[in-house]
PDB file of all heavy atoms in Angstrom:
ATOM      1  N   THR A   1       0.837  -1.205   0.000  1.00 77.00           N
ATOM      2  CA  THR A   1       0.000   0.000   0.000  1.00 77.00           C
ATOM      3  C   THR A   1       0.872   1.255   0.000  1.00 77.00           C
ATOM      4  O   THR A   1       0.612   2.221  -0.725  1.00 77.00           O
ATOM      5  CB  THR A   1      -0.913   0.003   1.233  1.00 77.00           C
ATOM      6  OG1 THR A   1      -1.727  -1.183   1.230  1.00 77.00           O
ATOM      7  CG2 THR A   1      -1.820   1.217   1.234  1.00 77.00           C
ATOM      8  N   TRP A   2       1.949   1.230   0.813  1.00 79.00           N
ATOM      9  CA  TRP A   2       2.852   2.410   0.866  1.00 79.00           C
ATOM     10  C   TRP A   2       3.581   2.600  -0.456  1.00 79.00           C
ATOM     11  O   TRP A   2       3.719   3.726  -0.947  1.00 79.00           O
ATOM     12  CB  TRP A   2       3.863   2.197   1.996  1.00 79.00           C
ATOM     13  CG  TRP A   2       4.758   3.400   2.203  1.00 79.00           C
ATOM     14  CD1 TRP A   2       4.517   4.455   2.999  1.00 79.00           C
ATOM     15  CD2 TRP A   2       6.028   3.625   1.566  1.00 79.00           C
ATOM     16  NE1 TRP A   2       5.545   5.363   2.935  1.00 79.00           N
ATOM     17  CE2 TRP A   2       6.492   4.866   2.022  1.00 79.00           C
ATOM     18  CE3 TRP A   2       6.777   2.914   0.656  1.00 79.00           C
ATOM     19  CZ2 TRP A   2       7.690   5.413   1.610  1.00 79.00           C
ATOM     20  CZ3 TRP A   2       7.966   3.470   0.244  1.00 79.00           C
ATOM     21  CH2 TRP A   2       8.426   4.709   0.711  1.00 79.00           C
ATOM     22  N   VAL A   3       4.041   1.503  -1.036  1.00 72.00           N
ATOM     23  CA  VAL A   3       4.749   1.595  -2.324  1.00 72.00           C
ATOM     24  C   VAL A   3       3.821   2.136  -3.394  1.00 72.00           C
ATOM     25  O   VAL A   3       4.222   2.957  -4.232  1.00 72.00           O
ATOM     26  CB  VAL A   3       5.322   0.222  -2.729  1.00 72.00           C
ATOM     27  CG1 VAL A   3       5.857   0.257  -4.153  1.00 72.00           C
ATOM     28  CG2 VAL A   3       6.426  -0.193  -1.764  1.00 72.00           C
ATOM     29  N   LYS A   4       2.552   1.678  -3.395  1.00 72.00           N
ATOM     30  CA  LYS A   4       1.605   2.156  -4.388  1.00 72.00           C
ATOM     31  C   LYS A   4       1.351   3.640  -4.229  1.00 72.00           C
ATOM     32  O   LYS A   4       1.226   4.379  -5.224  1.00 72.00           O
ATOM     33  CB  LYS A   4       0.291   1.381  -4.237  1.00 72.00           C
ATOM     34  CG  LYS A   4      -0.752   1.774  -5.268  1.00 72.00           C
ATOM     35  CD  LYS A   4      -2.016   0.936  -5.102  1.00 72.00           C
ATOM     36  CE  LYS A   4      -3.051   1.354  -6.146  1.00 72.00           C
ATOM     37  NZ  LYS A   4      -4.305   0.566  -5.992  1.00 72.00           N
ATOM     38  N   ALA A   5       1.303   4.109  -2.950  1.00 77.00           N
ATOM     39  CA  ALA A   5       1.051   5.533  -2.714  1.00 77.00           C
ATOM     40  C   ALA A   5       2.280   6.387  -3.015  1.00 77.00           C
ATOM     41  O   ALA A   5       2.150   7.580  -3.313  1.00 77.00           O
ATOM     42  CB  ALA A   5       0.604   5.736  -1.259  1.00 77.00           C
ATOM     43  N   HIS A   6       3.480   5.828  -2.927  1.00 77.00           N
ATOM     44  CA  HIS A   6       4.718   6.599  -3.149  1.00 77.00           C
ATOM     45  C   HIS A   6       5.591   5.908  -4.202  1.00 77.00           C
ATOM     46  O   HIS A   6       6.778   5.673  -3.997  1.00 77.00           O
ATOM     47  CB  HIS A   6       5.510   6.727  -1.829  1.00 77.00           C
ATOM     48  CG  HIS A   6       4.717   7.322  -0.714  1.00 77.00           C
ATOM     49  ND1 HIS A   6       3.910   6.552   0.122  1.00 77.00           N
ATOM     50  CD2 HIS A   6       4.595   8.617  -0.276  1.00 77.00           C
ATOM     51  CE1 HIS A   6       3.345   7.318   1.025  1.00 77.00           C
ATOM     52  NE2 HIS A   6       3.737   8.598   0.806  1.00 77.00           N
ATOM     53  N   THR A   7       5.003   5.571  -5.317  1.00 75.00           N
ATOM     54  CA  THR A   7       5.725   4.826  -6.372  1.00 75.00           C
ATOM     55  C   THR A   7       6.942   5.587  -6.888  1.00 75.00           C
ATOM     56  O   THR A   7       8.049   5.046  -7.001  1.00 75.00           O
ATOM     57  CB  THR A   7       4.781   4.525  -7.540  1.00 75.00           C
ATOM     58  OG1 THR A   7       3.645   3.797  -7.052  1.00 75.00           O
ATOM     59  CG2 THR A   7       5.494   3.715  -8.612  1.00 75.00           C
ATOM     60  N   LEU A   8       6.792   6.865  -7.210  1.00 77.00           N
ATOM     61  CA  LEU A   8       7.886   7.664  -7.757  1.00 77.00           C
ATOM     62  C   LEU A   8       9.027   7.804  -6.745  1.00 77.00           C
ATOM     63  O   LEU A   8      10.212   7.670  -7.095  1.00 77.00           O
ATOM     64  CB  LEU A   8       7.377   9.053  -8.158  1.00 77.00           C
ATOM     65  CG  LEU A   8       8.434   9.987  -8.786  1.00 77.00           C
ATOM     66  CD1 LEU A   8       8.994   9.364 -10.061  1.00 77.00           C
ATOM     67  CD2 LEU A   8       7.809  11.361  -9.077  1.00 77.00           C
ATOM     68  N   PHE A   9       8.664   8.024  -5.470  1.00 81.00           N
ATOM     69  CA  PHE A   9       9.682   8.158  -4.426  1.00 81.00           C
ATOM     70  C   PHE A   9      10.445   6.848  -4.247  1.00 81.00           C
ATOM     71  O   PHE A   9      11.680   6.852  -4.121  1.00 81.00           O
ATOM     72  CB  PHE A   9       9.024   8.577  -3.118  1.00 81.00           C
ATOM     73  CG  PHE A   9       9.982   8.651  -1.967  1.00 81.00           C
ATOM     74  CD1 PHE A   9      10.833   9.741  -1.808  1.00 81.00           C
ATOM     75  CD2 PHE A   9      10.054   7.605  -1.044  1.00 81.00           C
ATOM     76  CE1 PHE A   9      11.731   9.785  -0.751  1.00 81.00           C
ATOM     77  CE2 PHE A   9      10.945   7.658   0.014  1.00 81.00           C
ATOM     78  CZ  PHE A   9      11.775   8.754   0.168  1.00 81.00           C
ATOM     79  N   ALA A  10       9.757   5.714  -4.218  1.00 76.00           N
ATOM     80  CA  ALA A  10      10.395   4.414  -4.033  1.00 76.00           C
ATOM     81  C   ALA A  10      11.341   4.105  -5.191  1.00 76.00           C
ATOM     82  O   ALA A  10      12.465   3.610  -4.990  1.00 76.00           O
ATOM     83  CB  ALA A  10       9.343   3.317  -3.897  1.00 76.00           C
ATOM     84  N   PHE A  11      10.893   4.422  -6.416  1.00 75.00           N
ATOM     85  CA  PHE A  11      11.735   4.155  -7.592  1.00 75.00           C
ATOM     86  C   PHE A  11      12.995   5.030  -7.558  1.00 75.00           C
ATOM     87  O   PHE A  11      14.110   4.565  -7.833  1.00 75.00           O
ATOM     88  CB  PHE A  11      10.931   4.413  -8.871  1.00 75.00           C
ATOM     89  CG  PHE A  11      11.667   4.051 -10.118  1.00 75.00           C
ATOM     90  CD1 PHE A  11      11.731   2.738 -10.561  1.00 75.00           C
ATOM     91  CD2 PHE A  11      12.317   5.035 -10.862  1.00 75.00           C
ATOM     92  CE1 PHE A  11      12.435   2.412 -11.710  1.00 75.00           C
ATOM     93  CE2 PHE A  11      13.025   4.711 -12.010  1.00 75.00           C
ATOM     94  CZ  PHE A  11      13.071   3.388 -12.441  1.00 75.00           C
ATOM     95  N   THR A  12      12.788   6.317  -7.190  1.00 81.00           N
ATOM     96  CA  THR A  12      13.947   7.231  -7.118  1.00 81.00           C
ATOM     97  C   THR A  12      14.920   6.804  -6.035  1.00 81.00           C
ATOM     98  O   THR A  12      16.143   6.840  -6.230  1.00 81.00           O
ATOM     99  CB  THR A  12      13.459   8.654  -6.857  1.00 81.00           C
ATOM    100  OG1 THR A  12      12.528   9.053  -7.875  1.00 81.00           O
ATOM    101  CG2 THR A  12      14.620   9.632  -6.836  1.00 81.00           C
ATOM    102  N   ALA A  13      14.420   6.390  -4.874  1.00 82.00           N
ATOM    103  CA  ALA A  13      15.281   5.950  -3.781  1.00 82.00           C
ATOM    104  C   ALA A  13      16.067   4.710  -4.164  1.00 82.00           C
ATOM    105  O   ALA A  13      17.266   4.594  -3.875  1.00 82.00           O
ATOM    106  CB  ALA A  13      14.445   5.681  -2.534  1.00 82.00           C
ATOM    107  N   ALA A  14      15.408   3.787  -4.846  1.00 79.00           N
ATOM    108  CA  ALA A  14      16.102   2.567  -5.286  1.00 79.00           C
ATOM    109  C   ALA A  14      17.220   2.906  -6.263  1.00 79.00           C
ATOM    110  O   ALA A  14      18.328   2.370  -6.185  1.00 79.00           O
ATOM    111  CB  ALA A  14      15.101   1.598  -5.916  1.00 79.00           C
ATOM    112  N   CYS A  15      16.927   3.843  -7.203  1.00 78.00           N
ATOM    113  CA  CYS A  15      17.949   4.259  -8.176  1.00 78.00           C
ATOM    114  C   CYS A  15      19.118   4.957  -7.478  1.00 78.00           C
ATOM    115  O   CYS A  15      20.289   4.752  -7.817  1.00 78.00           O
ATOM    116  CB  CYS A  15      17.333   5.182  -9.221  1.00 78.00           C
ATOM    117  SG  CYS A  15      16.191   4.356 -10.342  1.00 78.00           S
ATOM    118  N   LEU A  16      18.808   5.798  -6.465  1.00 82.00           N
ATOM    119  CA  LEU A  16      19.857   6.522  -5.753  1.00 82.00           C
ATOM    120  C   LEU A  16      20.756   5.575  -4.973  1.00 82.00           C
ATOM    121  O   LEU A  16      21.991   5.684  -5.016  1.00 82.00           O
ATOM    122  CB  LEU A  16      19.214   7.542  -4.809  1.00 82.00           C
ATOM    123  CG  LEU A  16      20.198   8.415  -3.999  1.00 82.00           C
ATOM    124  CD1 LEU A  16      21.064   9.235  -4.941  1.00 82.00           C
ATOM    125  CD2 LEU A  16      19.430   9.324  -3.045  1.00 82.00           C
ATOM    126  N   VAL A  17      20.152   4.623  -4.265  1.00 83.00           N
ATOM    127  CA  VAL A  17      20.930   3.653  -3.503  1.00 83.00           C
ATOM    128  C   VAL A  17      21.819   2.835  -4.439  1.00 83.00           C
ATOM    129  O   VAL A  17      23.019   2.605  -4.170  1.00 83.00           O
ATOM    130  CB  VAL A  17      20.013   2.733  -2.688  1.00 83.00           C
ATOM    131  CG1 VAL A  17      20.809   1.592  -2.068  1.00 83.00           C
ATOM    132  CG2 VAL A  17      19.300   3.528  -1.594  1.00 83.00           C
ATOM    133  N   ALA A  18      21.266   2.403  -5.548  1.00 79.00           N
ATOM    134  CA  ALA A  18      22.043   1.616  -6.503  1.00 79.00           C
ATOM    135  C   ALA A  18      23.198   2.434  -7.081  1.00 79.00           C
ATOM    136  O   ALA A  18      24.313   1.925  -7.266  1.00 79.00           O
ATOM    137  CB  ALA A  18      21.141   1.112  -7.621  1.00 79.00           C
ATOM    138  N   SER A  19      22.948   3.725  -7.365  1.00 78.00           N
ATOM    139  CA  SER A  19      24.006   4.583  -7.907  1.00 78.00           C
ATOM    140  C   SER A  19      25.141   4.751  -6.910  1.00 78.00           C
ATOM    141  O   SER A  19      26.318   4.719  -7.272  1.00 78.00           O
ATOM    142  CB  SER A  19      23.425   5.956  -8.276  1.00 78.00           C
ATOM    143  OG  SER A  19      22.436   5.834  -9.269  1.00 78.00           O
ATOM    144  N   ILE A  20      24.757   4.938  -5.619  1.00 83.00           N
ATOM    145  CA  ILE A  20      25.797   5.085  -4.589  1.00 83.00           C
ATOM    146  C   ILE A  20      26.611   3.807  -4.465  1.00 83.00           C
ATOM    147  O   ILE A  20      27.847   3.850  -4.373  1.00 83.00           O
ATOM    148  CB  ILE A  20      25.151   5.458  -3.243  1.00 83.00           C
ATOM    149  CG1 ILE A  20      24.521   6.860  -3.327  1.00 83.00           C
ATOM    150  CG2 ILE A  20      26.180   5.401  -2.121  1.00 83.00           C
ATOM    151  CD1 ILE A  20      23.743   7.250  -2.088  1.00 83.00           C
ATOM    152  N   VAL A  21      25.937   2.652  -4.461  1.00 82.00           N
ATOM    153  CA  VAL A  21      26.643   1.378  -4.355  1.00 82.00           C
ATOM    154  C   VAL A  21      27.588   1.180  -5.537  1.00 82.00           C
ATOM    155  O   VAL A  21      28.765   0.812  -5.382  1.00 82.00           O
ATOM    156  CB  VAL A  21      25.647   0.213  -4.267  1.00 82.00           C
ATOM    157  CG1 VAL A  21      26.379  -1.129  -4.364  1.00 82.00           C
ATOM    158  CG2 VAL A  21      24.868   0.284  -2.961  1.00 82.00           C
ATOM    159  N   LEU A  22      27.094   1.453  -6.759  1.00 80.00           N
ATOM    160  CA  LEU A  22      27.933   1.287  -7.947  1.00 80.00           C
ATOM    161  C   LEU A  22      29.104   2.270  -7.942  1.00 80.00           C
ATOM    162  O   LEU A  22      30.237   1.916  -8.300  1.00 80.00           O
ATOM    163  CB  LEU A  22      27.087   1.483  -9.209  1.00 80.00           C
ATOM    164  CG  LEU A  22      26.081   0.367  -9.531  1.00 80.00           C
ATOM    165  CD1 LEU A  22      25.219   0.762 -10.718  1.00 80.00           C
ATOM    166  CD2 LEU A  22      26.821  -0.937  -9.826  1.00 80.00           C
ATOM    167  N   ALA A  23      28.829   3.522  -7.546  1.00 78.00           N
ATOM    168  CA  ALA A  23      29.888   4.532  -7.513  1.00 78.00           C
ATOM    169  C   ALA A  23      30.984   4.139  -6.519  1.00 78.00           C
ATOM    170  O   ALA A  23      32.188   4.247  -6.818  1.00 78.00           O
ATOM    171  CB  ALA A  23      29.309   5.886  -7.170  1.00 78.00           C
ATOM    172  N   CYS A  24      30.580   3.682  -5.339  1.00 79.00           N
ATOM    173  CA  CYS A  24      31.568   3.258  -4.339  1.00 79.00           C
ATOM    174  C   CYS A  24      32.392   2.074  -4.839  1.00 79.00           C
ATOM    175  O   CYS A  24      33.619   2.021  -4.649  1.00 79.00           O
ATOM    176  CB  CYS A  24      30.867   2.890  -3.027  1.00 79.00           C
ATOM    177  SG  CYS A  24      30.140   4.303  -2.167  1.00 79.00           S
ATOM    178  N   TYR A  25      31.713   1.169  -5.513  1.00 78.00           N
ATOM    179  CA  TYR A  25      32.423  -0.009  -6.016  1.00 78.00           C
ATOM    180  C   TYR A  25      33.458   0.378  -7.072  1.00 78.00           C
ATOM    181  O   TYR A  25      34.621  -0.046  -7.024  1.00 78.00           O
ATOM    182  CB  TYR A  25      31.423  -1.004  -6.596  1.00 78.00           C
ATOM    183  CG  TYR A  25      32.083  -2.179  -7.285  1.00 78.00           C
ATOM    184  CD1 TYR A  25      32.687  -3.196  -6.559  1.00 78.00           C
ATOM    185  CD2 TYR A  25      32.104  -2.254  -8.683  1.00 78.00           C
ATOM    186  CE1 TYR A  25      33.296  -4.263  -7.198  1.00 78.00           C
ATOM    187  CE2 TYR A  25      32.712  -3.315  -9.332  1.00 78.00           C
ATOM    188  CZ  TYR A  25      33.312  -4.313  -8.590  1.00 78.00           C
ATOM    189  OH  TYR A  25      33.919  -5.353  -9.227  1.00 78.00           O
ATOM    190  N   PHE A  26      33.034   1.204  -8.033  1.00 74.00           N
ATOM    191  CA  PHE A  26      33.945   1.557  -9.125  1.00 74.00           C
ATOM    192  C   PHE A  26      35.002   2.569  -8.698  1.00 74.00           C
ATOM    193  O   PHE A  26      36.074   2.636  -9.298  1.00 74.00           O
ATOM    194  CB  PHE A  26      33.146   2.096 -10.320  1.00 74.00           C
ATOM    195  CG  PHE A  26      32.523   1.011 -11.154  1.00 74.00           C
ATOM    196  CD1 PHE A  26      31.186   0.660 -10.976  1.00 74.00           C
ATOM    197  CD2 PHE A  26      33.271   0.327 -12.087  1.00 74.00           C
ATOM    198  CE1 PHE A  26      30.611  -0.344 -11.741  1.00 74.00           C
ATOM    199  CE2 PHE A  26      32.702  -0.684 -12.846  1.00 74.00           C
ATOM    200  CZ  PHE A  26      31.373  -1.026 -12.674  1.00 74.00           C
ATOM    201  N   LEU A  27      34.693   3.380  -7.658  1.00 75.00           N
ATOM    202  CA  LEU A  27      35.733   4.273  -7.141  1.00 75.00           C
ATOM    203  C   LEU A  27      36.780   3.516  -6.336  1.00 75.00           C
ATOM    204  O   LEU A  27      37.953   3.898  -6.305  1.00 75.00           O
ATOM    205  CB  LEU A  27      35.093   5.365  -6.262  1.00 75.00           C
ATOM    206  CG  LEU A  27      34.370   6.491  -7.001  1.00 75.00           C
ATOM    207  CD1 LEU A  27      33.688   7.428  -6.003  1.00 75.00           C
ATOM    208  CD2 LEU A  27      35.344   7.288  -7.871  1.00 75.00           C
ATOM    209  N   SER A  28      36.361   2.459  -5.700  1.00 74.00           N
ATOM    210  CA  SER A  28      37.317   1.685  -4.888  1.00 74.00           C
ATOM    211  C   SER A  28      38.260   0.866  -5.755  1.00 74.00           C
ATOM    212  O   SER A  28      39.384   0.573  -5.339  1.00 74.00           O
ATOM    213  CB  SER A  28      36.563   0.759  -3.930  1.00 74.00           C
ATOM    214  OG  SER A  28      35.830  -0.228  -4.648  1.00 74.00           O
ATOM    215  N   ARG A  29      37.842   0.508  -6.964  1.00 73.00           N
ATOM    216  CA  ARG A  29      38.694  -0.309  -7.817  1.00 73.00           C
ATOM    217  C   ARG A  29      40.005   0.391  -8.172  1.00 73.00           C
ATOM    218  O   ARG A  29      41.084  -0.213  -8.030  1.00 73.00           O
ATOM    219  CB  ARG A  29      37.942  -0.715  -9.081  1.00 73.00           C
ATOM    220  CG  ARG A  29      36.883  -1.778  -8.838  1.00 73.00           C
ATOM    221  CD  ARG A  29      36.191  -2.166 -10.113  1.00 73.00           C
ATOM    222  NE  ARG A  29      37.124  -2.745 -11.083  1.00 73.00           N
ATOM    223  CZ  ARG A  29      36.761  -3.075 -12.331  1.00 73.00           C
ATOM    224  NH1 ARG A  29      35.498  -2.862 -12.728  1.00 73.00           N
ATOM    225  NH2 ARG A  29      37.639  -3.603 -13.144  1.00 73.00           N
ATOM    226  N   PRO A  30      39.993   1.676  -8.631  1.00 71.00           N
ATOM    227  CA  PRO A  30      41.280   2.333  -8.914  1.00 71.00           C
ATOM    228  C   PRO A  30      42.177   2.434  -7.686  1.00 71.00           C
ATOM    229  O   PRO A  30      43.404   2.323  -7.789  1.00 71.00           O
ATOM    230  CB  PRO A  30      40.867   3.725  -9.419  1.00 71.00           C
ATOM    231  CG  PRO A  30      39.481   3.568  -9.904  1.00 71.00           C
ATOM    232  CD  PRO A  30      38.861   2.538  -9.024  1.00 71.00           C
ATOM    233  N   PHE A  31      41.555   2.653  -6.511  1.00 73.00           N
ATOM    234  CA  PHE A  31      42.360   2.748  -5.292  1.00 73.00           C
ATOM    235  C   PHE A  31      42.984   1.399  -4.937  1.00 73.00           C
ATOM    236  O   PHE A  31      44.111   1.344  -4.425  1.00 73.00           O
ATOM    237  CB  PHE A  31      41.515   3.275  -4.138  1.00 73.00           C
ATOM    238  CG  PHE A  31      41.192   4.739  -4.246  1.00 73.00           C
ATOM    239  CD1 PHE A  31      39.922   5.168  -4.582  1.00 73.00           C
ATOM    240  CD2 PHE A  31      42.175   5.696  -4.040  1.00 73.00           C
ATOM    241  CE1 PHE A  31      39.630   6.517  -4.690  1.00 73.00           C
ATOM    242  CE2 PHE A  31      41.898   7.044  -4.141  1.00 73.00           C
ATOM    243  CZ  PHE A  31      40.621   7.456  -4.475  1.00 73.00           C
ATOM    244  N   ARG A  32      42.260   0.312  -5.218  1.00 74.00           N
ATOM    245  CA  ARG A  32      42.840  -1.012  -4.990  1.00 74.00           C
ATOM    246  C   ARG A  32      44.021  -1.242  -5.931  1.00 74.00           C
ATOM    247  O   ARG A  32      45.066  -1.770  -5.534  1.00 74.00           O
ATOM    248  CB  ARG A  32      41.775  -2.102  -5.183  1.00 74.00           C
ATOM    249  CG  ARG A  32      40.713  -2.142  -4.092  1.00 74.00           C
ATOM    250  CD  ARG A  32      40.035  -3.503  -4.049  1.00 74.00           C
ATOM    251  NE  ARG A  32      39.410  -3.829  -5.331  1.00 74.00           N
ATOM    252  CZ  ARG A  32      38.156  -3.519  -5.668  1.00 74.00           C
ATOM    253  NH1 ARG A  32      37.381  -2.862  -4.799  1.00 74.00           N
ATOM    254  NH2 ARG A  32      37.663  -3.872  -6.827  1.00 74.00           N
ATOM    255  N   TYR A  33      43.839  -0.835  -7.193  1.00 71.00           N
ATOM    256  CA  TYR A  33      44.946  -0.952  -8.150  1.00 71.00           C
ATOM    257  C   TYR A  33      46.121  -0.075  -7.721  1.00 71.00           C
ATOM    258  O   TYR A  33      47.285  -0.487  -7.815  1.00 71.00           O
ATOM    259  CB  TYR A  33      44.489  -0.544  -9.548  1.00 71.00           C
ATOM    260  CG  TYR A  33      43.374  -1.385 -10.114  1.00 71.00           C
ATOM    261  CD1 TYR A  33      42.494  -0.881 -11.066  1.00 71.00           C
ATOM    262  CD2 TYR A  33      43.176  -2.702  -9.701  1.00 71.00           C
ATOM    263  CE1 TYR A  33      41.467  -1.642 -11.600  1.00 71.00           C
ATOM    264  CE2 TYR A  33      42.148  -3.475 -10.211  1.00 71.00           C
ATOM    265  CZ  TYR A  33      41.291  -2.937 -11.161  1.00 71.00           C
ATOM    266  OH  TYR A  33      40.275  -3.697 -11.681  1.00 71.00           O
ATOM    267  N   LEU A  34      45.800   1.145  -7.239  1.00 74.00           N
ATOM    268  CA  LEU A  34      46.855   2.059  -6.816  1.00 74.00           C
ATOM    269  C   LEU A  34      47.616   1.497  -5.619  1.00 74.00           C
ATOM    270  O   LEU A  34      48.851   1.577  -5.556  1.00 74.00           O
ATOM    271  CB  LEU A  34      46.263   3.426  -6.474  1.00 74.00           C
ATOM    272  CG  LEU A  34      47.256   4.512  -6.027  1.00 74.00           C
ATOM    273  CD1 LEU A  34      48.268   4.777  -7.125  1.00 74.00           C
ATOM    274  CD2 LEU A  34      46.515   5.788  -5.655  1.00 74.00           C
ATOM    275  N   ASP A  35      46.885   0.930  -4.666  1.00 74.00           N
ATOM    276  CA  ASP A  35      47.539   0.315  -3.507  1.00 74.00           C
ATOM    277  C   ASP A  35      48.462  -0.826  -3.944  1.00 74.00           C
ATOM    278  O   ASP A  35      49.567  -0.980  -3.416  1.00 74.00           O
ATOM    279  CB  ASP A  35      46.493  -0.216  -2.524  1.00 74.00           C
ATOM    280  CG  ASP A  35      45.761   0.913  -1.804  1.00 74.00           C
ATOM    281  OD1 ASP A  35      46.322   2.024  -1.751  1.00 74.00           O
ATOM    282  OD2 ASP A  35      44.644   0.676  -1.307  1.00 74.00           O
ATOM    283  N   ALA A  36      47.991  -1.613  -4.931  1.00 75.00           N
ATOM    284  CA  ALA A  36      48.818  -2.724  -5.417  1.00 75.00           C
ATOM    285  C   ALA A  36      50.080  -2.207  -6.097  1.00 75.00           C
ATOM    286  O   ALA A  36      51.177  -2.759  -5.905  1.00 75.00           O
ATOM    287  CB  ALA A  36      48.010  -3.593  -6.377  1.00 75.00           C
ATOM    288  N   VAL A  37      49.922  -1.120  -6.882  1.00 76.00           N
ATOM    289  CA  VAL A  37      51.088  -0.550  -7.575  1.00 76.00           C
ATOM    290  C   VAL A  37      52.067   0.050  -6.567  1.00 76.00           C
ATOM    291  O   VAL A  37      53.285  -0.120  -6.688  1.00 76.00           O
ATOM    292  CB  VAL A  37      50.627   0.514  -8.591  1.00 76.00           C
ATOM    293  CG1 VAL A  37      51.834   1.258  -9.166  1.00 76.00           C
ATOM    294  CG2 VAL A  37      49.827  -0.131  -9.721  1.00 76.00           C
ATOM    295  N   ILE A  38      51.537   0.771  -5.560  1.00 77.00           N
ATOM    296  CA  ILE A  38      52.410   1.363  -4.529  1.00 77.00           C
ATOM    297  C   ILE A  38      53.150   0.270  -3.767  1.00 77.00           C
ATOM    298  O   ILE A  38      54.355   0.372  -3.500  1.00 77.00           O
ATOM    299  CB  ILE A  38      51.590   2.237  -3.566  1.00 77.00           C
ATOM    300  CG1 ILE A  38      51.047   3.480  -4.302  1.00 77.00           C
ATOM    301  CG2 ILE A  38      52.430   2.663  -2.370  1.00 77.00           C
ATOM    302  CD1 ILE A  38      50.114   4.322  -3.470  1.00 77.00           C
ATOM    303  N   HIS A  39      52.437  -0.778  -3.425  1.00 74.00           N
ATOM    304  CA  HIS A  39      53.060  -1.887  -2.698  1.00 74.00           C
ATOM    305  C   HIS A  39      54.148  -2.533  -3.548  1.00 74.00           C
ATOM    306  O   HIS A  39      55.223  -2.898  -3.043  1.00 74.00           O
ATOM    307  CB  HIS A  39      52.001  -2.918  -2.317  1.00 74.00           C
ATOM    308  CG  HIS A  39      52.526  -4.059  -1.505  1.00 74.00           C
ATOM    309  ND1 HIS A  39      53.028  -3.907  -0.235  1.00 74.00           N
ATOM    310  CD2 HIS A  39      52.656  -5.381  -1.816  1.00 74.00           C
ATOM    311  CE1 HIS A  39      53.429  -5.084   0.223  1.00 74.00           C
ATOM    312  NE2 HIS A  39      53.216  -5.995  -0.713  1.00 74.00           N
ATOM    313  N   ALA A  40      53.865  -2.671  -4.861  1.00 76.00           N
ATOM    314  CA  ALA A  40      54.872  -3.255  -5.754  1.00 76.00           C
ATOM    315  C   ALA A  40      56.062  -2.323  -5.929  1.00 76.00           C
ATOM    316  O   ALA A  40      57.210  -2.772  -6.011  1.00 76.00           O
ATOM    317  CB  ALA A  40      54.237  -3.565  -7.111  1.00 76.00           C
ATOM    318  N   ALA A  41      55.784  -0.994  -5.980  1.00 74.00           N
ATOM    319  CA  ALA A  41      56.876  -0.026  -6.163  1.00 74.00           C
ATOM    320  C   ALA A  41      57.813  -0.016  -4.965  1.00 74.00           C
ATOM    321  O   ALA A  41      58.998   0.302  -5.103  1.00 74.00           O
ATOM    322  CB  ALA A  41      56.303   1.366  -6.392  1.00 74.00           C
TER     323      ALA A  41
END
């Protein structure tokens, strides 16, 4: 019932959470590579 009453808000919140999760994941990858390169250097 709540989702039906706030469909646009629920969809936007789901998209925002997913964007944050994806952004954190892809931002952490270069730092992991950088840490590996620094450790190797």
Side-chain angles (χ1 to χ4, degrees):
T1 302
W2 185 89
V3 171
K4 182 178 180 181
H6 305 87
T7 303
L8 182 60
F9 176 79
F11 185 81
T12 303
C15 290
L16 181 61
V17 171
S19 298
I20 294 174
V21 172
L22 289 174
C24 291
Y25 173 74
F26 280 98
L27 284 175
S28 65
R29 287 181 62 185
F31 287 107
R32 289 201 301 270
Y33 299 154
L34 181 60
D35 289 338
V37 172
I38 293 174
H39 183 65

